[in-house]
Amino acid sequence: MNPERTSAGPILITGASGQLGAALVKGAQAAGLAHRAVQRPAFDFDNPASIAQICAETSPSLIINAAAWTAVDAAETNQDAAWRANRDGPATLAAYAAEQHIPLIHISTDYVFDGSKGAPYIESDQVAPLGVYGASKEAGERAVLSTGAASMVLRTAWVFSAGRANFARTMIEAGRKRPELRVVADQRGTPTAAPDLAAAILRIVALIQRTGWQPHYGGIFHATNQGATTWHGFATEIFAQAARHGETAPTIVPITTQDWPTPVRRPADSRLDGQKLAAVFGITLPDWRDATRRVIADMLTQPASAP
Ligand SMILES: NC(=O)c1ccc[n+]([C@@H]2O[C@H](COP(=O)([O-])OP(=O)(O)OC[C@H]3O[C@@H](n4cnc5c(N)ncnc54)[C@H](OP(=O)(O)O)[C@@H]3O)[C@@H](O)[C@H]2O)c1
């Protein structure tokens, strides 16, 4: 028996203006899934009353929290806001979910790890965040999982999409301005397309709606596209795909992390092992190269970003 209520009320999607939030909204619309999408200022982790108000007026059957402070370096100088968005806000949502007996799907990051394992991380591996962003997201995971809510934490990585600012868009825009780009070639991870992650999440939602919440749905899962590369490899693939749409590729020069100092160190190797997601939900995301091909095609055929 499980007490969770999954049949009445819309799905609440937070952070709808973000990469993942927007992809979730698009996917939910396409699937005819009853949902309510919220974003700032109506739903703002800096304004706890707004969280309570949105929850009360929506009475959701399930919450997907795609809202977060995602600016890794800026988190160091805006620590309070990062902790509010990445730990305190999710804790409030999880407390509401526990009280209402509804499931919560919360998104986290590969940056909870320090990247020193030298192999893909599994869910139970020791966390060791390198900065405030990673630490606040890691605390958010614990806050969500400790409330007793029917909660699932999906860790993802290197999220990109055709829309909002991200590495792929930055590369395309920089490549239009400069003949040569220097890109870090000694950090390894997996680019993950927001639409692919959204599709995986919506499959999980459909399963929860069909079966009701099951205890083995709870806990942490790793969810990225398949395969791995470096930022340099990703940039190279981005321009290979962009060339198919008439973009001129700049020279992409490999550099080291030391050549590109940032306020926060990034994990050297943050590959995530997705076998648990495959075993429990039968979900494997597509290869990152295939994802790059689709996202770049979307990006370069959208009217607003046409050259
Ligand atoms: N981006 C990545 O590379 C990456 C990597 C690993 C994990 N993740 C995780 O994946 C999830 C989705 O990331 P994303 O790439 O879609 O992020 P994103 O594009 O930066 O979007 C973040 C969303 O959160 C909202 N938000 C920020 N601060 C907020 C606050 N105080 N209160 C309420 N909403 C707030 C933003 O609203 P505004 O539009 O108003 O700013 C936006 O809707 C996050 O949990 C993130 O930590 C991302």
Side-chain angles (χ1 to χ4, degrees):
M1 280 298 290
N2 67 82
E4 278 68 33
R5 181 166 59 76
T6 53
S7 53
I11 306 295
L12 178 64
I13 301 171
T14 69
S17 57
Q19 298 193 82
L20 177 60
L24 283 165
V25 171
K26 206 169 164 188
Q29 281 166 349
L33 186 66
H35 65 282
R36 180 174 184 200
V38 294
Q39 62 194 58
R40 293 194 284 191
F43 178 94
D44 189 343
F45 287 137
D46 288 332
N47 173 12
S50 72
I51 309 175
Q53 189 182 336
I54 291 286
C55 287
E57 65 189 36
T58 308
S59 193
S61 56
L62 182 151
I63 300 172
I64 307 172
N65 180 35
W69 180 287
T70 58
V72 176
D73 291 324
E76 301 297 312
T77 44
N78 297 271
Q79 301 199 5
D80 290 350
W83 286 96
R84 278 197 298 275
N86 292 346
R87 178 195 55 195
D88 304 343
T92 304
L93 283 178
Y96 174 83
E99 187 190 290
Q100 298 297 318
H101 302 289
I102 59 165
L104 168 65
I105 300 177
H106 175 70
I107 315 303
S108 192
T109 173
D110 54 334
Y111 282 17
V112 300
F113 297 117
D114 66 8
S116 64
K117 182 179 177 184
Y121 282 95
I122 61 169
E123 288 78 357
S124 55
D125 278 330
Q126 182 67 47
V127 294
L130 297 172
V132 171
Y133 169 71
S136 62
K137 291 293 291 183
E138 191 276 327
E141 294 182 349
R142 278 187 286 116
V144 163
L145 294 172
S146 67
T147 51
S151 53
M152 173 188 303
V153 171
L154 290 179
R155 288 187 187 135
T156 192
W158 296 24
V159 178
F160 69 111
S161 62
R164 192 175 168 117
N166 63 78
F167 181 81
R169 181 167 279 283
T170 302
M171 283 294 111
I172 295 290
E173 285 168 8
R176 287 174 181 165
K177 291 182 199 138
R178 297 202 292 277
E180 182 180 291
L181 301 179
R182 299 162 70 237
V183 183
V184 171
D186 60 359
Q187 288 169 25
R188 223 165 154 208
T190 304
T192 301
D196 288 350
L197 181 59
I201 294 170
L202 292 172
R203 277 181 65 184
I204 293 170
V205 169
L207 180 70
I208 295 171
Q209 289 183 327
R210 212 163 53 240
T211 64
W213 177 264
Q214 304 293 325
H216 62 286
Y217 298 166
I220 300 174
F221 293 85
H222 289 171
T224 63
N225 279 119
Q226 290 293 294
T229 187
T230 63
W231 293 110
H232 181 270
F234 188 22
T236 303
E237 186 64 24
I238 287 165
F239 285 111
Q241 293 303 329
R244 296 158 57 118
H245 300 276
E247 296 281 329
T248 307
T251 304
I252 309 160
V253 180
I255 61 168
T256 66
T257 299
Q258 275 183 330
D259 296 328
W260 192 266
T262 49
V264 181
R265 193 153 61 88
R266 271 56 171 173
D269 180 355
S270 64
R271 287 171 293 155
L272 300 179
D273 183 318
Q275 287 182 61
K276 187 180 168 196
L277 189 78
V280 173
F281 295 107
I283 293 175
T284 303
L285 278 72
D287 188 88
W288 70 270
R289 290 179 206 83
D290 177 59
T292 304
R293 178 182 57 74
R294 285 179 281 110
V295 168
I296 295 300
D298 270 7
M299 191 186 291
L300 298 179
T301 52
Q302 278 171 11
S305 59

